[in-house]
Amino acid sequence: MEWKLDGEGPIWAQMVENVKRGIVAGEFGPGERLPAVREMALEAGVNPNTAQRALTELERQGLVYAQRTAGRFVTEDAGTIERLRRELADGTVRAFLEDMRALGFTREEIEQLISDQEGGIDNGDT
Amino acid sequence: MAILKCAGLSKRYGSVSALEGLDLAVEPGRIVGLLGPNGSGKTTLIKLANGLLRPSEGQVLIDGREPGVESKKLVSYLPERACLPEWMSVQGLLGFYGDFYGDFDRAAATEMLSRLEIDPKRRFKHLSKGNREKVQLILVMSRKAKLYLLDEPIGGVDPAARDFILSTIIRSYNPEAAVIISTHLIADVEKVLDDVVFISRGRLLLNASADDLREQRGKSVDEVFREVFRC
């Protein structure tokens, strides 16, 4: 997977965010095995302790489970993945609204812009 | 126990003070960035740790002992400038390192070299600058040491060579060993570091976990560095 680790905050937290998006986007499917710590560290170009911390955090949040020798796997629980999907969407919408308010747009204007854009995207995509 | 411990460590050259009362402990399993502008004392500290220099005051201990013949078995050192016999072939250098260091893993070194597609029969001096740096790093990282002291391992090489060097450091990671990387190219190394040590004019300015620093300041280590050392 493509790692995006140039944002603010701890690298391990950015890795957690990357994997979460990968899970929701289906890049890591339910029950799929995640790369081992060292492998993930090399891929992302980070220290193995950082990769370890990211995986531990994903485990703590119940998104990933460890099987003693086989490695770590993405949860198979559809409810958990759906909640994660909502959580990421909420974050994106919140950031979007903050940006738009900072630019001085009202709710009506924002809604208008969204439907204008959507028309464009639908035409462009199909 | 700390693999490297400095207590009140000072080094003076005549009236010039290169290091002043430095206290530092580095635990095994950590990758530490020794960060500071040019002339801040990074190389002096590394040379003190491997016994090339003697402290003017204070103490530096490797695995609890002063640097000497025994500590050289534990410390793998990449100097700032190449100090290998340049007329030797790459293959010859593998033998040379193997003769000097009992912990040298020749198979590991050969494997890393083959990934680079460097012909082992070529003489060291005929390699490009980037490849010379890579070969030196491979020699240093192929030892099963307790402490790796890397003095400016990524200075003066192109970004692709830099990536190779950093991934070699990650690949060689061993929880029983510590790695100290001195550099002023912070943006390039910061993702690899556990801890950062800022030194300026021979004094310790900051010693923190890289992720804690990013969390507390809401900035990259590179940005914090630029702030602290603004000219």
Side-chain angles (χ1 to χ4, degrees), chain A residues 5 7-14 38 41-42 44-50 53, chain B residues 29-31 167 170-175 191-194 211-212 214-215 218-219:
Chain A
L5 302 173
E8 286 169 5
I11 303 285
W12 66 265
Q14 295 185 45
R38 200 173 281 258
L42 269 172
V46 303
N47 178 310
N49 294 320
T50 306
R53 183 149 179 205
Chain B
R30 310 298 283 181
I31 302 181
S167 68
I170 297 170
R171 197 172 276 123
S172 321
Y173 175 81
N174 166 6
K191 280 194 289 176
V192 175
L193 304 178
D194 284 304
D211 268 337
D212 288 351
R214 274 187 283 264
E215 191 156 25
K219 287 183 179 137

Side-chain angles (χ1 to χ4, degrees), chain A residues 77-99:
Chain A
D77 184 61
T80 306
I81 296 177
E82 184 52 32
R83 271 197 299 283
L84 174 63
R85 187 164 158 261
R86 274 302 304 262
E87 177 197 312
L88 293 182
D90 285 344
T92 304
V93 170
R94 205 176 307 122
F96 165 75
L97 286 178
E98 268 170 31
D99 273 358

